Amino acid sequence: MESLLRAMQELVVANRILATEGVCDAFGHASIRHPENPDRYVMARSRSPGVITIDDLMEYALDGDPIDQRDRAMYAERHIHGGVYEGRPDVHAVIHNHSHAVIPFGVTGVQLQPVLHMGSLAGKDVPVWDIRDHFGDTHMLVTNMDQGRDLARGLGDGRVALMRGHGCVVAGKSIKEAVMIAVYLEINARLQLQSLQLGTPTYLSPGEIECGMQQFVGELAIDRAWEYWAIRAGCE
Ligand code: MN
């Protein structure tokens, strides 16, 4: 129970950070795999990440059914999380967001690539998943497990998949790692857009990306960023 409480407190901080750093606005959500029961995940009721508290957190089965709903409204797109947890035992945190600078790379065919060392966190060859490929014309939201599983297949064994005309999904080994990836995904996208306006960017090489993917999820980097972002978000 103690590990669950600690994990939930961390998830609240993660939500506040994602809002403060411009990754989530009114929409978007973050979850963790239940630390004691891998067949469940923990996520807030339907509320903006910028205002959630520990009392908003709920437990879900991987198929998206709530364990104890108590009339609380649920995120329509919770199946993003279940789909990824079901297909990826190595993943312990999932973030879905509509962070603005990332959107152009999902709709133009211009590949999102690292121009910044920290941008390597998203990995090589970030895929773009298109809901229309298998589901035709929709409101673009991932609202059932078929769609969640299809998105998880699009993500493959990577850390990030863009969602055409919508946003992205980020998968991490921990919530701190997922937050790190999501924040720098947005920053790198902004810098890549700026670089493309000036000329032809020199992107990080595949080998540099490999190195960065390990280096910047080390404890030293993550704890330093987490403390800074948590204080900026009014936590701690
Ligand atoms: Mn969405």
Side-chain angles (χ1 to χ4, degrees):
M1 278 313 272
E2 203 181 301
S3 70
L4 176 60
L5 182 63
R6 232 187 354 259
M8 287 168 71
Q9 287 165 339
E10 220 170 58
L11 181 57
V12 170
V13 176
N15 273 273
R16 298 300 185 100
I17 289 173
L18 292 169
T20 306
E21 300 306 321
V23 173
C24 293
D25 47 23
F27 298 98
H29 21 85
S31 69
I32 52 168
R33 195 189 288 273
H34 194 296
E36 288 146 20
N37 184 347
D39 294 329
R40 290 185 186 177
Y41 61 93
V42 180
M43 189 164 66
R45 69 185 171 97
S46 182
R47 224 182 163 198
S48 166
V51 295
I52 76 142
T53 69
I54 201 154
D55 295 329
D56 294 316
L57 298 182
M58 301 173 57
E59 286 185 28
Y60 296 89
L62 295 192
D63 63 7
D65 283 348
I67 304 303
D68 178 21
Q69 186 175 1
R70 283 186 271 136
D71 289 331
R72 291 173 286 186
M74 301 183 289
Y75 292 128
E77 293 197 283
R78 60 191 180 279
H79 304 288
I80 292 172
H81 302 255
V84 174
Y85 289 127
E86 186 184 83
R88 288 278 302 275
D90 61 309
V91 169
H92 290 270
V94 174
I95 296 169
H96 165 62
N97 68 73
H98 313 149
S99 73
H100 298 174
V102 173
I103 301 300
F105 298 97
V107 299
T108 55
V110 176
Q111 173 78 35
L112 183 83
Q113 292 182 70
V115 293
L116 172 73
H117 59 339
M118 308 297 278
S120 61
L121 282 164
K124 276 181 294 196
D125 305 322
V126 173
V128 179
W129 175 78
D130 190 336
I131 194 169
R132 199 196 287 155
D133 287 347
H134 293 133
F135 301 97
D137 288 343
T138 63
H139 42 41
M140 313 289 283
L141 304 180
V142 175
T143 52
N144 60 55
M145 276 307 279
D146 283 347
Q147 294 170 342
R149 289 180 182 125
D150 195 57
L151 173 57
R153 277 190 291 274
L155 173 67
D157 59 3
R159 290 175 174 171
V160 175
L162 308 192
M163 301 162 70
R164 193 264 307 164
H166 179 168
C168 60
V169 58
V170 175
K173 288 200 289 289
S174 68
I175 187 65
K176 288 185 178 182
E177 179 181 295
V179 167
M180 188 86 163
I181 297 166
V183 171
Y184 277 103
L185 182 71
E186 166 69 12
I187 292 172
N188 185 82
R190 211 157 57 216
L191 293 172
Q192 187 179 351
L193 288 169
Q194 290 170 350
S195 303
L196 286 164
Q197 287 165 10
L198 289 180
T200 306
T202 300
Y203 296 107
L204 269 69
S205 70
E208 287 169 338
I209 295 171
E210 269 318 312
C211 293
M213 284 181 79
Q214 304 312 317
Q215 177 70 23
F216 304 121
V217 294
E219 212 174 303
L220 192 69
I222 284 196
D223 285 348
R224 177 162 154 181
W226 185 267
E227 181 198 30
Y228 170 63
W229 288 327
I231 289 169
R232 272 163 60 89
C235 306
E236 308 205 345

